mmCIF file of all heavy atoms in Angstrom:
data_model
loop_
_atom_site.group_PDB
_atom_site.id
_atom_site.type_symbol
_atom_site.label_atom_id
_atom_site.label_comp_id
_atom_site.label_asym_id
_atom_site.label_seq_id
_atom_site.Cartn_x
_atom_site.Cartn_y
_atom_site.Cartn_z
ATOM 1 N N ALA A 88 33.473 3.819 138.823
ATOM 2 C CA ALA A 88 33.669 5.007 137.902
ATOM 3 C C ALA A 88 34.731 4.778 136.870
ATOM 4 O O ALA A 88 34.587 5.095 135.702
ATOM 5 C CB ALA A 88 33.792 6.220 138.740
ATOM 6 N N ALA A 89 35.899 4.346 137.354
ATOM 7 C CA ALA A 89 37.034 4.059 136.421
ATOM 8 C C ALA A 89 36.769 3.107 135.395
ATOM 9 O O ALA A 89 37.021 3.300 134.208
ATOM 10 C CB ALA A 89 38.283 3.761 137.202
ATOM 11 N N ASP A 90 36.155 1.986 135.826
ATOM 12 C CA ASP A 90 35.807 0.992 134.811
ATOM 13 C C ASP A 90 34.727 1.351 133.871
ATOM 14 O O ASP A 90 34.732 0.981 132.692
ATOM 15 C CB ASP A 90 35.384 -0.298 135.575
ATOM 16 C CG ASP A 90 36.547 -0.989 136.245
ATOM 17 O OD1 ASP A 90 37.684 -0.849 135.731
ATOM 18 O OD2 ASP A 90 36.362 -1.734 137.304
ATOM 19 N N LYS A 91 33.752 2.198 134.398
ATOM 20 C CA LYS A 91 32.757 2.694 133.435
ATOM 21 C C LYS A 91 33.353 3.572 132.355
ATOM 22 O O LYS A 91 32.830 3.517 131.178
ATOM 23 C CB LYS A 91 31.683 3.533 134.267
ATOM 24 C CG LYS A 91 30.609 2.628 134.969
ATOM 25 C CD LYS A 91 29.610 3.538 135.638
ATOM 26 C CE LYS A 91 28.503 2.676 136.312
ATOM 27 N NZ LYS A 91 27.523 3.525 137.006
ATOM 28 N N GLN A 92 34.312 4.401 132.712
ATOM 29 C CA GLN A 92 34.987 5.198 131.831
ATOM 30 C C GLN A 92 35.667 4.407 130.697
ATOM 31 O O GLN A 92 35.549 4.682 129.520
ATOM 32 C CB GLN A 92 36.014 6.168 132.475
ATOM 33 C CG GLN A 92 36.636 7.113 131.514
ATOM 34 C CD GLN A 92 37.614 8.090 132.254
ATOM 35 O OE1 GLN A 92 37.874 7.962 133.443
ATOM 36 N NE2 GLN A 92 38.195 9.048 131.536
ATOM 37 N N LYS A 93 36.318 3.320 131.101
ATOM 38 C CA LYS A 93 36.927 2.449 130.096
ATOM 39 C C LYS A 93 35.909 1.788 129.229
ATOM 40 O O LYS A 93 36.084 1.600 127.996
ATOM 41 C CB LYS A 93 37.759 1.283 130.829
ATOM 42 C CG LYS A 93 39.020 1.800 131.515
ATOM 43 C CD LYS A 93 39.707 0.624 132.199
ATOM 44 C CE LYS A 93 40.936 1.168 132.960
ATOM 45 N NZ LYS A 93 41.639 -0.016 133.662
ATOM 46 N N LEU A 94 34.788 1.429 129.855
ATOM 47 C CA LEU A 94 33.680 0.784 129.133
ATOM 48 C C LEU A 94 33.152 1.696 128.046
ATOM 49 O O LEU A 94 32.909 1.317 126.926
ATOM 50 C CB LEU A 94 32.570 0.294 130.044
ATOM 51 C CG LEU A 94 31.442 -0.529 129.494
ATOM 52 C CD1 LEU A 94 32.045 -1.803 128.895
ATOM 53 C CD2 LEU A 94 30.426 -0.801 130.514
ATOM 54 N N ASN A 95 32.927 2.982 128.472
ATOM 55 C CA ASN A 95 32.447 3.979 127.485
ATOM 56 C C ASN A 95 33.352 4.201 126.275
ATOM 57 O O ASN A 95 32.941 4.400 125.167
ATOM 58 C CB ASN A 95 32.239 5.331 128.225
ATOM 59 C CG ASN A 95 30.977 5.275 129.040
ATOM 60 O OD1 ASN A 95 29.964 4.583 128.767
ATOM 61 N ND2 ASN A 95 30.934 6.119 130.121
ATOM 62 N N GLN A 96 34.697 4.145 126.581
ATOM 63 C CA GLN A 96 35.634 4.274 125.512
ATOM 64 C C GLN A 96 35.508 3.100 124.580
ATOM 65 O O GLN A 96 35.564 3.233 123.380
ATOM 66 C CB GLN A 96 37.072 4.234 126.111
ATOM 67 C CG GLN A 96 37.421 5.538 126.887
ATOM 68 C CD GLN A 96 38.700 5.482 127.526
ATOM 69 O OE1 GLN A 96 39.411 4.430 127.644
ATOM 70 N NE2 GLN A 96 39.238 6.641 127.935
ATOM 71 N N HIS A 97 35.269 1.841 125.109
ATOM 72 C CA HIS A 97 34.981 0.625 124.237
ATOM 73 C C HIS A 97 33.780 0.895 123.406
ATOM 74 O O HIS A 97 33.793 0.537 122.203
ATOM 75 C CB HIS A 97 34.923 -0.608 125.110
ATOM 76 C CG HIS A 97 36.188 -1.112 125.614
ATOM 77 N ND1 HIS A 97 37.188 -1.515 124.800
ATOM 78 C CD2 HIS A 97 36.622 -1.370 126.912
ATOM 79 C CE1 HIS A 97 38.254 -1.937 125.540
ATOM 80 N NE2 HIS A 97 37.929 -1.869 126.816
ATOM 81 N N LEU A 98 32.708 1.364 123.966
ATOM 82 C CA LEU A 98 31.443 1.638 123.270
ATOM 83 C C LEU A 98 31.684 2.580 122.164
ATOM 84 O O LEU A 98 31.158 2.469 121.037
ATOM 85 C CB LEU A 98 30.364 2.075 124.216
ATOM 86 C CG LEU A 98 29.810 0.999 125.133
ATOM 87 C CD1 LEU A 98 28.892 1.575 126.213
ATOM 88 C CD2 LEU A 98 29.001 -0.050 124.325
ATOM 89 N N GLU A 99 32.470 3.668 122.442
ATOM 90 C CA GLU A 99 32.782 4.692 121.417
ATOM 91 C C GLU A 99 33.558 4.050 120.221
ATOM 92 O O GLU A 99 33.261 4.315 119.070
ATOM 93 C CB GLU A 99 33.542 5.834 121.982
ATOM 94 C CG GLU A 99 32.679 6.741 122.825
ATOM 95 C CD GLU A 99 33.579 7.859 123.515
ATOM 96 O OE1 GLU A 99 34.660 8.074 123.124
ATOM 97 O OE2 GLU A 99 32.934 8.544 124.403
ATOM 98 N N HIS A 100 34.448 3.140 120.584
ATOM 99 C CA HIS A 100 35.225 2.410 119.564
ATOM 100 C C HIS A 100 34.341 1.561 118.677
ATOM 101 O O HIS A 100 34.448 1.554 117.464
ATOM 102 C CB HIS A 100 36.297 1.573 120.180
ATOM 103 C CG HIS A 100 37.152 0.812 119.299
ATOM 104 N ND1 HIS A 100 37.952 1.454 118.359
ATOM 105 C CD2 HIS A 100 37.291 -0.474 119.053
ATOM 106 C CE1 HIS A 100 38.622 0.466 117.698
ATOM 107 N NE2 HIS A 100 38.240 -0.662 118.069
ATOM 108 N N ILE A 101 33.328 0.917 119.333
ATOM 109 C CA ILE A 101 32.342 0.051 118.603
ATOM 110 C C ILE A 101 31.539 0.861 117.615
ATOM 111 O O ILE A 101 31.327 0.576 116.472
ATOM 112 C CB ILE A 101 31.443 -0.687 119.583
ATOM 113 C CG1 ILE A 101 32.209 -1.796 120.226
ATOM 114 C CG2 ILE A 101 30.267 -1.316 118.806
ATOM 115 C CD1 ILE A 101 31.519 -2.471 121.372
ATOM 116 N N ARG A 102 31.097 2.140 118.135
ATOM 117 C CA ARG A 102 30.335 2.983 117.271
ATOM 118 C C ARG A 102 31.162 3.466 116.012
ATOM 119 O O ARG A 102 30.622 3.652 114.896
ATOM 120 C CB ARG A 102 29.764 4.169 117.990
ATOM 121 C CG ARG A 102 28.692 3.720 119.066
ATOM 122 C CD ARG A 102 28.124 4.909 119.749
ATOM 123 N NE ARG A 102 27.232 4.548 120.890
ATOM 124 C CZ ARG A 102 27.678 4.637 122.126
ATOM 125 N NH1 ARG A 102 28.871 5.159 122.465
ATOM 126 N NH2 ARG A 102 26.850 4.188 123.082
ATOM 127 N N ASP A 103 32.432 3.734 116.369
ATOM 128 C CA ASP A 103 33.329 4.172 115.220
ATOM 129 C C ASP A 103 33.470 3.012 114.231
ATOM 130 O O ASP A 103 33.508 3.263 113.009
ATOM 131 C CB ASP A 103 34.728 4.507 115.861
ATOM 132 C CG ASP A 103 35.693 4.983 114.820
ATOM 133 O OD1 ASP A 103 35.376 5.925 114.077
ATOM 134 O OD2 ASP A 103 36.774 4.336 114.674
ATOM 135 N N LEU A 104 33.588 1.787 114.679
ATOM 136 C CA LEU A 104 33.656 0.641 113.749
ATOM 137 C C LEU A 104 32.432 0.544 112.892
ATOM 138 O O LEU A 104 32.537 0.237 111.721
ATOM 139 C CB LEU A 104 33.861 -0.600 114.511
ATOM 140 C CG LEU A 104 35.285 -1.012 115.095
ATOM 141 C CD1 LEU A 104 35.225 -2.258 115.921
ATOM 142 C CD2 LEU A 104 36.224 -1.174 113.891
ATOM 143 N N GLU A 105 31.263 0.766 113.466
ATOM 144 C CA GLU A 105 30.021 0.663 112.765
ATOM 145 C C GLU A 105 30.026 1.712 111.632
ATOM 146 O O GLU A 105 29.608 1.437 110.513
ATOM 147 C CB GLU A 105 28.807 1.004 113.693
ATOM 148 C CG GLU A 105 28.483 -0.180 114.603
ATOM 149 C CD GLU A 105 27.333 0.149 115.557
ATOM 150 O OE1 GLU A 105 27.062 1.381 115.686
ATOM 151 O OE2 GLU A 105 26.757 -0.841 116.094
ATOM 152 N N LYS A 106 30.533 2.959 111.926
ATOM 153 C CA LYS A 106 30.581 4.024 110.855
ATOM 154 C C LYS A 106 31.559 3.650 109.787
ATOM 155 O O LYS A 106 31.278 3.794 108.591
ATOM 156 C CB LYS A 106 31.024 5.323 111.530
ATOM 157 C CG LYS A 106 30.021 5.978 112.478
ATOM 158 C CD LYS A 106 30.529 7.246 113.120
ATOM 159 C CE LYS A 106 29.539 7.804 114.113
ATOM 160 N NZ LYS A 106 30.115 8.999 114.773
ATOM 161 N N ARG A 107 32.689 3.057 110.179
ATOM 162 C CA ARG A 107 33.696 2.659 109.169
ATOM 163 C C ARG A 107 33.138 1.507 108.313
ATOM 164 O O ARG A 107 33.466 1.507 107.106
ATOM 165 C CB ARG A 107 34.997 2.259 109.881
ATOM 166 C CG ARG A 107 35.751 3.450 110.369
ATOM 167 C CD ARG A 107 36.863 3.078 111.357
ATOM 168 N NE ARG A 107 37.782 2.066 110.741
ATOM 169 C CZ ARG A 107 38.662 1.465 111.469
ATOM 170 N NH1 ARG A 107 38.835 1.748 112.731
ATOM 171 N NH2 ARG A 107 39.524 0.577 110.892
ATOM 172 N N ILE A 108 32.468 0.608 108.891
ATOM 173 C CA ILE A 108 31.884 -0.454 108.091
ATOM 174 C C ILE A 108 30.991 0.039 106.992
ATOM 175 O O ILE A 108 31.068 -0.260 105.818
ATOM 176 C CB ILE A 108 31.123 -1.549 108.977
ATOM 177 C CG1 ILE A 108 32.112 -2.337 109.831
ATOM 178 C CG2 ILE A 108 30.231 -2.415 108.161
ATOM 179 C CD1 ILE A 108 31.440 -3.129 110.852
ATOM 180 N N SER A 109 30.107 0.933 107.400
ATOM 181 C CA SER A 109 29.227 1.605 106.445
ATOM 182 C C SER A 109 29.965 2.429 105.385
ATOM 183 O O SER A 109 29.650 2.291 104.228
ATOM 184 C CB SER A 109 28.156 2.476 107.136
ATOM 185 O OG SER A 109 27.387 1.773 108.023
ATOM 186 N N ALA A 110 30.926 3.185 105.824
ATOM 187 C CA ALA A 110 31.668 4.007 104.922
ATOM 188 C C ALA A 110 32.504 3.211 103.838
ATOM 189 O O ALA A 110 32.462 3.509 102.708
ATOM 190 C CB ALA A 110 32.556 4.973 105.670
ATOM 191 N N ASP A 111 33.182 2.163 104.500
ATOM 192 C CA ASP A 111 34.010 1.352 103.614
ATOM 193 C C ASP A 111 33.184 0.646 102.574
ATOM 194 O O ASP A 111 33.521 0.573 101.336
ATOM 195 C CB ASP A 111 34.792 0.305 104.378
ATOM 196 C CG ASP A 111 35.913 0.917 105.270
ATOM 197 O OD1 ASP A 111 36.185 2.081 105.030
ATOM 198 O OD2 ASP A 111 36.434 0.232 106.128
ATOM 199 N N THR A 112 32.005 0.147 102.918
ATOM 200 C CA THR A 112 31.196 -0.612 101.974
ATOM 201 C C THR A 112 30.671 0.284 100.898
ATOM 202 O O THR A 112 30.627 0.012 99.731
ATOM 203 C CB THR A 112 30.078 -1.297 102.730
ATOM 204 O OG1 THR A 112 30.584 -2.094 103.771
ATOM 205 C CG2 THR A 112 29.228 -2.118 101.735
ATOM 206 N N SER A 113 30.283 1.497 101.301
ATOM 207 C CA SER A 113 29.584 2.408 100.325
ATOM 208 C C SER A 113 30.558 3.095 99.426
ATOM 209 O O SER A 113 30.289 3.301 98.241
ATOM 210 C CB SER A 113 28.749 3.486 101.068
ATOM 211 O OG SER A 113 29.580 4.223 101.892
ATOM 212 N N SER A 114 31.779 3.361 99.916
ATOM 213 C CA SER A 114 32.703 4.114 99.120
ATOM 214 C C SER A 114 33.593 3.219 98.201
ATOM 215 O O SER A 114 33.940 3.605 97.090
ATOM 216 C CB SER A 114 33.622 4.959 99.951
ATOM 217 O OG SER A 114 34.375 4.156 100.875
ATOM 218 N N ARG A 115 33.903 2.044 98.675
ATOM 219 C CA ARG A 115 34.815 1.207 97.862
ATOM 220 C C ARG A 115 34.072 0.405 96.789
ATOM 221 O O ARG A 115 34.530 0.236 95.713
ATOM 222 C CB ARG A 115 35.505 0.266 98.901
ATOM 223 C CG ARG A 115 36.221 -0.941 98.233
ATOM 224 C CD ARG A 115 37.549 -0.461 97.633
ATOM 225 N NE ARG A 115 38.146 -1.635 96.984
ATOM 226 C CZ ARG A 115 38.941 -2.538 97.629
ATOM 227 N NH1 ARG A 115 39.162 -2.392 98.937
ATOM 228 N NH2 ARG A 115 39.476 -3.553 96.970
#
Side-chain angles (χ1 to χ4, degrees):
D90 288 331
K91 278 185 179 178
Q92 186 177 2
K93 291 180 181 178
L94 188 61
N95 284 331
Q96 290 176 347
H97 283 301
L98 286 170
E99 287 177 10
H100 180 61
I101 288 172
R102 293 188 189 100
D103 181 57
L104 281 174
E105 288 178 339
K106 291 177 183 177
R107 283 166 55 189
I108 287 170
S109 298
D111 289 347
T112 305
S113 60
S114 63
R115 167 76 182 276

